[in-house]
Amino acid sequence: LGIFTYDPAFFSTASCTSEITYIDGDAGLLYYRGYPIEQLAEKSDFLEVCYLLLNGALPDATQKAEFVHKVTTHTIVHDQLMKFFNGFRRDAHPMAVMVGVVGALSAFYHDSLDINNPEHRDLAAMRLLGKVPTIAAMAYKYHNGYPFMYPKNKYSYVENFLYMMFATPAEEYVPNPVLVKALERIFILHADHEQNASTSTVRLAGSSGANPFACMASGIAALWGPAHGGANEAALTMLEEIGDTSKVAQFVQDVKDKKRLLMGFGHRVYKNMDPRASVMRETCYEVLKEQGLENDKLFKLAMELEKIALSDPYFIERKLYPNVDFYSGIVLRALGIPTNMFTVIFAVGRTIGWVSQWNEMMAASDRKIGRPRQLYIGATRRDFLPVDER
Ligand code: CMC
């Protein structure tokens, strides 16, 4: 192989150094900037976690207030941007709309943006944090034919997102603190996860010096797949398909016969319980109780599936445990969020991870364009023949 190593799917390649997120997959540990995810999910709030990921330390009260103010003032999108939505069919998947409309932000913020200037990068981060939830809520409203709801700055970040999703011009919106806390947790748990497929995509796109808003669109595209962020949607669809606890055993058999994958199970890095999944399972109980859904059929089904899978040698030998997406779909559904918006919610939470990782890369003194090599297995040299001689 000469000077390079063949590592398809990057099982053993570190593509960068990073100070942002630490994972110990065997021990089931996840830390943001040194803080265990469980503590952040329990005691912090999403914007504080955003500050931490972006800047490396938790903010003091003044820094926090300034940060919240900055993000809040960037929640409005340009009037022209709203016109992009009309180009999409109403039945377009909201992730397709996200790829297009977030990418379109690059047309609004390009010429005056110097990506080598830390202040400009910070402004790009504030714009993304402010505008991605607005675009996500608009994608939902557009899909359903409802009028867009402009952001309201009197609300917290998460309250405002729920407001833009569920409020209508005709009715007063009253945020439910239990549901707000649940979504806050979902965002915190999804905020960063080191060099996963979408983050690596953002870094690779950004390494060429490309516009950061366009880079985020590339991350959204990578996130969409069912092996990555699309797993929450796929996991819930799977539970709906199984439909009844009596069908769980047959389903598990199909998985063992390699006819299906158990969506929401397994992870490239975690060979132990995904620590995010434990927090999410607790959140499931809280939200279902609040919504009067303690006997929720799909949750019961998920618990049964988990019990069978965790005691089956097939899953034990392969170290397959539930990941965060096994439960997040149930919580999102209980919040009233439709299945095709699940991965969009993941993208809203992950935006801070993408932009923090992009910023870290851009700030590095040894930045180089990412350029993997390949193992060529095609034809050897041959001579061109004119078409009538082939
Ligand atoms: N159901 C059944 N078998 C599985 C599963 C699963 N979900 N995941 C892996 N396996 C089996 C796989 O068939 C293989 O078996 P064998 O050794 O007999 O060939 C073995 O376990 C190792 O799997 P792998 O494909 O080498 O593992 P990977 O690291 O390439 O894939 C994964 C990781 C997450 C893509 C995979 O586990 C998967 O597709 N899971 C379902 C989708 C999912 O839940 N994804 C969300 C990940 S967490 C959120 C995020 O970070 O985006």
Side-chain angles (χ1 to χ4, degrees):
L1 291 181
I3 53 159
F4 46 87
T5 319
Y6 177 52
D7 182 20
F10 310 115
F11 270 86
S12 59
T13 298
S15 60
C16 62
T17 58
S18 179
E19 297 179 9
I20 301 175
T21 290
Y22 172 77
I23 303 176
D24 180 337
D26 292 326
L29 302 177
L30 169 62
Y31 301 162
Y32 293 162
R33 301 277 189 184
Y35 294 99
I37 191 67
E38 296 83 355
Q39 288 186 24
L40 294 170
E42 181 61 33
K43 299 177 182 165
S44 191
D45 60 68
F46 180 59
L47 280 189
E48 193 168 66
V49 169
C50 291
Y51 184 100
L52 172 69
L53 287 168
L54 194 60
N55 298 301
L58 285 168
D60 63 25
T62 313
Q63 289 166 327
K64 184 171 175 178
E66 275 171 15
F67 187 77
V68 171
H69 178 72
K70 273 201 273 181
V71 173
T72 307
T73 53
H74 285 294
T75 50
I76 298 278
V77 295
H78 195 290
D79 221 43
Q80 288 290 113
L81 192 88
M82 299 195 201
K83 302 201 167 125
F84 278 83
F85 285 88
N86 294 328
F88 289 95
R89 287 167 52 134
R90 289 270 178 196
D91 60 357
H93 195 288
M95 280 298 277
V97 177
M98 289 295 284
V99 174
V101 180
V102 173
L105 287 174
S106 59
F108 293 81
Y109 309 109
H110 186 69
D111 293 337
S112 58
L113 173 65
D114 173 6
I115 52 175
N116 295 310
N117 180 334
E119 285 176 20
H120 285 212
R121 290 201 301 271
D122 192 62
L123 180 58
M126 296 304 107
R127 286 188 164 134
L128 279 160
L129 273 182
K131 294 178 201 312
V132 170
T134 308
I135 294 170
M138 286 172 143
Y140 168 73
K141 292 289 197 194
Y142 181 76
H143 190 84
N144 291 290
Y146 303 144
F148 294 152
M149 298 299 288
Y150 282 80
K152 265 208 176 144
N153 293 349
K154 68 172 184 174
Y155 292 128
S156 75
Y157 190 82
V158 176
E159 283 171 355
N160 182 48
F161 179 65
L162 288 170
Y163 164 80
M164 290 188 292
M165 284 280 295
F166 296 123
T168 64
E171 284 165 45
E172 185 67 21
Y173 169 74
V174 184
N176 174 329
V178 177
L179 307 189
V180 169
K181 179 76 193 156
L183 192 56
E184 192 103 38
R185 277 205 182 144
I186 289 184
F187 286 159
I188 292 172
L189 295 178
H190 287 88
D192 193 53
H193 215 225
E194 53 120 300
Q195 305 313 316
N196 56 81
S198 57
T199 304
S200 297
T201 303
V202 169
R203 277 196 180 246
L204 197 55
S207 76
S208 72
N211 179 291
F213 298 91
C215 295
M216 297 306 134
S218 73
I220 295 171
L223 185 75
W224 191 0
H228 190 10
N232 50 16
E233 179 174 340
L236 201 90
T237 307
M238 173 192 78
L239 291 175
E240 278 166 349
E241 263 174 50
I242 299 173
D244 193 86
T245 40
S246 63
K247 304 218 174 101
V248 168
Q250 182 57 49
F251 180 83
V252 170
Q253 191 54 49
D254 287 350
V255 171
K256 286 157 63 177
D257 294 342
K258 305 268 187 205
K259 291 185 194 153
R260 311 272 317 236
L261 280 178
L262 178 46
M263 301 312 287
F265 259 67
H267 198 273
R268 172 63 61 81
V269 184
Y270 294 119
K271 301 302 169 195
N272 199 325
M273 189 79 179
D274 176 344
R276 302 170 300 173
S278 312
V279 177
M280 193 51 72
R281 190 166 45 183
E282 284 311 305
T283 306
C284 247
Y285 286 116
E286 286 166 25
V287 170
L288 293 176
K289 184 161 177 257
E290 175 66 19
Q291 300 289 68
L293 295 168
E294 288 99 331
N295 293 319
D296 183 62
K297 206 173 156 192
L298 291 194
F299 187 57
K300 288 218 158 116
L301 203 61
M303 292 297 100
E304 182 68 14
L305 200 50
E306 183 193 65
K307 199 172 83 194
I308 294 182
L310 289 181
S311 58
D312 189 300
Y314 178 93
F315 296 90
I316 297 169
E317 280 159 20
R318 289 170 180 75
K319 300 189 175 166
L320 298 171
Y321 292 88
N323 59 53
V324 64
D325 290 327
F326 191 65
Y327 308 102
S328 65
I330 296 169
V331 177
L332 290 171
R333 180 168 155 273
L335 292 178
I337 292 170
T339 317
N340 65 5
M341 281 295 291
F342 288 3
T343 314
V344 173
I345 302 291
F346 192 154
V348 172
R350 183 56 58 85
T351 298
I352 185 59
W354 292 328
V355 75
S356 300
Q357 299 266 353
W358 170 79
N359 186 49
E360 183 181 62
M361 178 185 69
M362 298 308 289
S365 55
D366 59 350
R367 171 161 64 96
K368 282 200 188 313
I369 186 167
R371 204 324 184 164
R373 298 305 306 270
Q374 64 166 9
L375 202 57
Y376 179 70
I377 54 165
T380 51
R381 186 194 180 283
R382 47 186 168 168
D383 287 320
F384 179 86
L385 288 175
V387 69
D388 54 350
E389 291 176 33
R390 285 175 213 157

